[in-house]
C-alpha cells in the first residue's frame, strides 16, 4: 500500500472503527453432514423436552458478567461509553431477516429479554518499535482488539428462540445486507458462519464483512453462546483490520472466561 494510501486509510479507520465499535469490540463428506444434521435434530428435541431454565434477574446477571479479575489482560469496563451503549431503537436493517445480526453486532439484546447487562473489553495497546517507519508504526498502534458484551436472560424459551433467529439470519443474509446503527449507515457485503464456541448449550459465530472504503472491506466478528435461559453475545473488532481489511482472531480468553461464569 502506498504511503499516502496508508495515511488516508488509517485516518478513515478511526471514523470507521468508531462506527463499527458503536455497532459494536478441511470440509466434511456428505455422510458427516448427515450425521451432523441428525445430531442437531436430536439436540433440538432434547432441548424442547427439557424444562425451561430460570431467567436471571439484572442483579444475578451482574454477578455472572465479566469482571476485571476474570481476565489476565486487557481492560473490562462495567459502564459503556455513550458511543458504545446503543439502544434498541437505534438499530435497524433494511431486510428485517438480518436484524438479529445487526443487534448482535451492536451489542443489543435479541427479542424481549427479562433482564440485560453490558460490558466491554479492550486489549492493551502494543508499543510499536522505535525503528518502524511512520506508516507501519501507525498500523501497529491500531492493532488493538475490542469487544462489546451483552448478557440477556429470557422467560419461556426466549433464549432458544433468539438463537434460532440468529442462525436463520446468518443463513438468509450470507450475501450481505444494509443496516443503520445510531444513525450511521453500514453496508455488509457478506456474513460467514464460522466454528461455534464451546462451553454452552448452543453457540454460533459469524464473521461480518463491512465495506469501509471503495477498496477496503473490513471484518467484524460476532460470537453468541446460550447457557440455559441466558444469552451472551460478543461483538469484536480490531482497529488495524478496519484499516487494512486483514482478518483477526476473536480473543478466546475473554469468551471462555465469560462463558465459564455462566456455570
Amino acid at each position: 500500500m502506498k504511503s499516502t494510501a496508508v495515511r488516508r486509510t488509517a485516518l478513515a479507520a478511526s471514523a470507521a472503527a468508531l462506527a463499527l465499535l458503536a455497532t459494536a469490540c478441511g470440509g466434511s463428506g456428505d455422510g458427516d453432514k448427515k450425521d451432523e444434521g441428525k445430531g442437531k435434530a436430536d439436540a433440538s428435541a432434547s432441548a424442547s423436552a427439557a424444562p425451561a431454565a430460570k431467567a436471571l434477574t439484572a442483579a444475578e446477571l451482574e454477578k455472572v458478567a465479566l469482571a476485571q479479575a476474570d481476565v489476565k489482560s486487557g481492560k473490562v469496563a462495567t459502564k459503556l461509553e455513550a458511543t458504545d451503549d446503543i439502544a434498541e431503537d437505534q438499530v435497524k436493517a433494511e431486510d428485517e431477516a438480518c436484524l438479529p445480526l445487526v443487534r448482535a453486532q451492536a451489542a443489543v439484546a435479541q427479542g424481549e429479554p427479562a433482564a440485560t447487562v453490558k460490558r466491554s473489553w479492550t486489549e492493551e495497546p502494543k508499543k510499536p518499535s522505535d525503528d518502524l517507519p511512520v506508516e507501519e508504526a501507525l498500523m501497529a498502534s491500531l492493532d488493538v482488539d475490542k469487544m462489546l458484551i451483552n448478557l440477556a436472560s429470557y422467560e419461556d424459551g426466549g433464549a432458544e428462540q433468539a438463537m434460532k433467529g440468529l442462525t436463520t439470519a446468518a443463513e438468509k443474509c450470507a450475501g450481505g445486507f444494509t443496516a443503520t446503527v445510531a444513525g450511521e449507515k453500514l453496508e455488509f457485503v457478506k456474513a460467514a458462519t464460522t466454528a461455534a464456541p464451546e462451553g454452552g448449550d448452543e453457540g454460533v459465530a459469524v464473521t461480518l464483512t463491512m465495506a469501509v472504503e471503495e477498496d477496503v472491506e473490513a471484518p467484524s466478528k460476532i460470537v453468541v453462546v446460550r447457557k440455559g435461559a441466558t444469552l451472551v453475545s460478543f461483538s469484536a473488532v480490531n482497529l488495524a483490520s478496519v484499516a487494512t481489511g486483514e482478518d483477526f482472531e476473536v480473543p478466546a480468553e475473554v469468551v471462555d472466561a465469560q462463558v465459564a461464569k455462566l456455570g
Side-chain angles (χ1 to χ4, degrees), residues 74-234:
K75 181 179 179 181
V76 175
T78 57
K79 182 176 178 56
L80 272 59
E81 297 178 3
T83 52
D84 289 339
D85 193 7
I86 306 300
E88 178 184 352
D89 61 2
Q90 293 179 293
V91 180
K92 297 178 175 61
E94 287 191 2
D95 184 344
E96 282 293 315
C98 305
L99 186 58
L101 294 177
V102 189
R103 284 176 175 265
Q105 204 263 353
V108 172
Q110 306 291 331
E112 299 181 3
T116 181
V117 301
K118 294 182 179 182
R119 294 286 188 270
S120 72
W121 174 88
T122 306
E123 184 182 19
E124 297 165 358
K126 305 174 184 67
K127 187 178 185 305
S129 174
D130 293 335
D131 58 357
L132 280 178
V134 175
E135 291 83 1
E136 292 182 28
L138 179 58
M139 285 302 166
S141 67
L142 286 174
D143 188 13
V144 175
D145 294 330
K146 178 167 182 177
M147 287 204 290
L148 301 180
I149 305 169
N150 184 298
L151 291 90
S153 63
Y154 297 82
E155 302 279 2
D156 304 323
E160 290 87 342
Q161 288 301 312
M163 283 296 299
K164 183 178 180 181
L166 276 163
T167 55
T168 299
E171 294 173 358
K172 290 186 175 181
C173 305
F177 57 95
T178 301
T180 302
V181 178
E184 184 80 19
K185 188 173 182 179
L186 305 174
E187 181 185 351
F188 296 94
V189 297
K190 62 181 177 181
T193 302
T194 59
E198 300 179 352
D201 299 322
E202 292 181 276
V204 64
V206 181
T207 295
L208 299 177
T209 302
M210 186 181 78
V212 179
E213 289 190 320
E214 184 178 346
D215 57 346
V216 179
E217 294 179 349
S220 66
K221 308 291 183 82
I222 297 170
V223 175
V224 184
V225 176
R226 180 182 70 82
K227 186 71 174 180
T230 301
L231 211 67
V232 56
S233 65
F234 306 83

Side-chain angles (χ1 to χ4, degrees), residues 4-43:
T4 54
V6 170
R7 283 192 288 270
R8 174 178 55 81
T9 303
L11 289 173
S14 299
L18 287 175
L20 197 59
L21 288 172
T23 69
C25 13
S28 59
D30 291 339
D32 294 332
K33 291 180 180 178
K34 290 178 181 178
D35 291 341
E36 180 183 352
K38 182 178 182 299
K40 288 181 179 179
D42 291 344

